[in-house]
Amino acid sequence: MGKALRFPEGFVWGTSTAGHQIEGWNDNSDWWAFEQKGLIRDGSTSGKAVDYWNKYEDDHALMSELGYPAFRLGLEWAKIEPSPGKFSDDAMERYRSILASLRKRNIKICLTLNHWVLPMWVAEQKDWMNPKTLDDFQRFVTHVVEQLGEYPDMWVTLNEPMVPAIAGNLADEFPPQRKNYNAFRRVGSALLEAHARTYRIIHSKVPKAPDGGPTLAGIAQAYQWIVPWGTPGLAGQYEKIAAFVFKRGSFDAWDLSVQTGKQVYPFGGRFIANLRNSYDYCGINYYFRMSVKYDKSRKDQLYVDEKQIPDGIERTQMGWQVYPPGFYLTIKRVFGRFRKPIYILENGVADDADTMRPRYLLQHLAAVHRAISEGVPVKGYYQWSFTDNFEWREGFCKQFGLVGVDHADPELKRVPRRSAHMYSEIIRANGITEEIVAKYAPEAMDAVFGNTWDWTK
Ligand code: BGC
């Protein structure tokens, strides 16, 4: 027998998606309206996306065929509540069929209640800036939990709340395209409260998970491993401060607020009812390291360029640097802070030719394994993503799928990439074996089993 990194028994293996990115026809939403302005980089709009709305049965069949035991998917508020207080029975029935189809196949369900997108009527009332939106969201969540509460094995209240708070309110990248620091603070603070309220609603209405175990709810937090570039002198000091600020805004302020129940800077400073202890697990989404480099020409970016990549480090098609130790260190840090079980709810790479993906996945799984072997209770890993999908501002040109979908094909045929088969083999082996690495990414053998990386920083 060759070398192997085996995962604990019962480890949950899955793939991850979001409603708007795969379903299609989310035409009553803020993102749909934003896309019509011609702002998507490849000129596309989400349109029919990959038509999961109609093709879900076939997708689930393919998932079973590939042997993927768990699936993370999202619901679209705009479809379920197309106008204030009026729920669509048709949309609810469709979601019920989708979840029932997964259940029938014994595929575990991880359900996200909000993955950024808002109904148009919420956008029109000034989204999370308007305190009324919190009550509206609470009404939506209550309805969903009452209707569909029997299905999810675990719940994600919000996906990466700080991403739309930053991209939509500071960086002009996402709707509603604000560039306003106070708006960022208010939206972030509202999202903290939305999470706390949603967590409570789930627990009050769903006393147990379907397998009889405890109800599991939390968020999927976007973590980057953020480090200063290391320029000598004063510029280097500035890089340290900038890295601190980026970390604080991207996840630290959120995490510290949840830890204590009281919002910390840059949020408002008030206590939020039920915020403390509102994680049954910590959900980690990790893709890349960010090295913060001083650049005096970048006035709009706090004088830093965070997209530069040190020599010898790979860059993905998103322009992100590949850095598995950052994943391991993030997992350790999050566990150190919350002492809760951890689920990796996203990790993956845009790679249409599927040449980087096998080694990317193997090395990142090796990082997860390293954390587990040091006693961190990582319970599951969801790869982003099952199929190619609508990658927000990037459109369809960035392909994150284990399963490829050619957007130009009217049938939107699903074609599993080599990585899809590699993932099946990993799941079957409940780990990474030398044979799997030799077959799919022999170039990564040392990085997976040896000591190529420095795991300390
Ligand atoms: C998001 C996904 C997105 C992925 C890749 C995550 O930040 O939750 O919706 O597609 O990253 O960019």
Side-chain angles (χ1 to χ4, degrees):
M1 279 269 282
K3 284 181 257 179
L5 303 178
R6 303 274 175 202
F7 282 66
E9 215 178 298
F11 191 79
V12 177
W13 297 99
T15 57
S16 198
T17 58
H20 188 79
Q21 294 180 268
I22 58 170
E23 289 173 359
W25 313 121
N26 197 16
D27 55 0
N28 207 359
S29 67
D30 61 342
W31 262 90
W32 182 279
F34 175 74
E35 293 156 21
Q36 313 311 312
K37 298 184 191 165
L39 291 170
I40 306 305
R41 293 204 174 92
D42 65 358
S44 63
T45 57
S46 58
K48 59 184 183 311
V50 294
D51 202 17
Y52 174 75
W53 198 243
N54 296 302
K55 294 183 183 296
Y56 63 91
E57 196 56 66
D58 292 346
D59 278 348
H60 300 168
L62 178 57
M63 238 173 256
S64 300
E65 208 177 290
L66 289 164
Y68 298 171
F71 188 47
R72 174 177 170 224
L73 71 167
L75 301 177
E76 286 305 327
W77 185 4
K79 288 187 181 180
I80 292 176
E81 193 177 355
S83 55
K86 301 248 165 5
F87 294 110
S88 157
D89 293 339
D90 286 354
M92 193 51 86
E93 273 324 298
R94 180 60 55 98
Y95 281 121
R96 193 189 306 283
S97 314
I98 290 173
L99 298 177
S101 147
L102 289 165
R103 171 59 58 77
K104 194 180 70 205
R105 294 180 175 281
N106 247 328
I107 297 174
K108 275 191 186 297
I109 298 167
C110 173
L111 190 66
T112 311
L113 293 172
N114 185 265
H115 199 119
W116 304 347
V117 182
L118 300 174
M120 206 47 220
W121 61 267
V122 175
E124 280 161 1
Q125 72 187 21
K126 281 211 162 161
D127 57 270
W128 299 105
M129 295 280 281
N130 183 345
K132 181 177 171 295
T133 296
L134 277 169
D135 296 335
D136 292 333
F137 189 62
Q138 180 166 339
R139 181 180 59 212
F140 158 72
V141 169
T142 305
H143 181 65
V144 167
V145 177
E146 282 170 353
Q147 294 288 317
L148 304 174
E150 70 196 271
Y151 292 105
D153 295 277
M154 60 188 284
W155 302 79
V156 178
T157 60
L158 303 175
N159 178 70
E160 301 187 348
M162 295 318 292
V163 171
I166 294 171
N169 296 282
L170 275 182
D172 191 14
E173 267 285 299
F174 282 10
Q177 293 184 276
R178 296 187 187 108
K179 276 192 124 180
N180 178 329
Y181 186 63
N182 277 328
F184 155 70
R185 297 178 61 201
R186 276 179 62 184
V187 167
S189 161
L191 287 167
L192 274 167
E193 183 160 354
H195 160 70
R197 289 196 196 187
T198 304
Y199 178 86
R200 270 292 129 229
I201 295 167
I202 294 169
H203 273 274
S204 69
K205 298 202 176 279
V206 184
K208 277 199 221 101
D211 67 359
T215 304
L216 290 178
I219 71 158
Q221 180 79 296
Y223 291 101
Q224 306 82 30
W225 187 249
I226 301 177
V227 293
W229 181 267
T231 306
L234 210 53
Q237 294 306 317
Y238 183 73
E239 286 164 356
K240 284 190 193 151
I241 297 168
F244 174 85
V245 171
F246 273 45
K247 265 197 264 184
R248 181 91 180 185
S250 304
F251 46 79
D252 261 352
W254 178 286
D255 284 2
L256 286 166
S257 303
V258 173
Q259 216 183 348
T260 58
K262 182 171 186 259
Q263 300 179 73
V264 302
Y265 190 81
F267 307 130
R270 69 189 163 94
F271 273 97
I272 293 185
N274 299 315
L275 182 60
R276 199 161 157 254
N277 288 325
S278 61
Y279 285 171
D280 300 313
Y281 66 84
C282 294
I284 294 180
N285 294 357
Y286 176 86
Y287 291 88
F288 58 94
R289 175 171 73 175
M290 198 190 255
S291 303
V292 176
K293 187 171 190 187
Y294 178 69
D295 174 353
K296 67 172 185 288
S297 69
R298 297 290 298 273
K299 292 201 179 62
D300 58 328
Q301 272 289 87
L302 285 175
Y303 298 98
V304 295
D305 176 356
E306 76 298 352
K307 291 259 164 74
Q308 293 252 355
I309 297 187
D311 288 345
I313 297 282
E314 281 193 285
R315 175 199 298 266
T316 75
Q317 289 174 357
M318 292 291 280
W320 296 341
Q321 59 168 300
V322 177
Y323 194 65
F327 196 10
Y328 158 80
L329 292 163
T330 295
I331 295 170
K332 298 263 287 188
R333 191 170 62 192
V334 171
F335 183 63
R337 174 167 277 164
F338 289 102
R339 314 299 292 180
K340 295 276 182 190
I342 286 179
Y343 283 86
I344 308 306
L345 294 177
E346 289 183 29
N347 170 241
V349 57
D351 180 25
D352 51 355
D354 204 43
T355 47
M356 183 187 282
R357 189 175 287 102
R359 67 175 170 275
Y360 182 98
L361 292 185
L362 290 166
Q363 294 190 63
H364 283 79
L365 279 170
V368 176
H369 187 272
R370 176 174 284 264
I372 294 174
S373 69
E374 290 175 14
V376 181
V378 185
K379 301 293 186 190
Y381 171 92
Y382 289 75
Q383 207 274 331
W384 184 275
S385 181
F386 181 57
T387 59
D388 288 339
N389 55 52
F390 180 71
E391 176 53 33
W392 309 112
R393 266 313 272 265
E394 302 294 320
F396 291 100
C397 66
K398 297 294 188 295
Q399 300 178 351
F400 276 89
L402 289 171
V403 174
V405 181
D406 175 2
H407 202 65
D409 167 14
E411 300 296 315
L412 296 169
K413 198 163 166 294
R414 277 52 171 161
V415 184
R417 298 190 162 105
R418 275 181 84 237
S419 300
H421 300 295
M422 181 185 82
Y423 197 43
S424 303
E425 290 187 38
I426 292 172
I427 294 168
R428 236 178 291 135
N430 197 33
I432 304 174
T433 62
E434 207 175 330
E435 291 73 23
I436 293 175
V437 184
K439 179 166 165 193
Y440 292 98
E443 75 282 9
M445 193 66 85
D446 279 350
V448 172
F449 293 111
N451 247 337
T452 311
W453 295 102
D454 176 353
W455 294 93
T456 62
K457 55 179 195 252

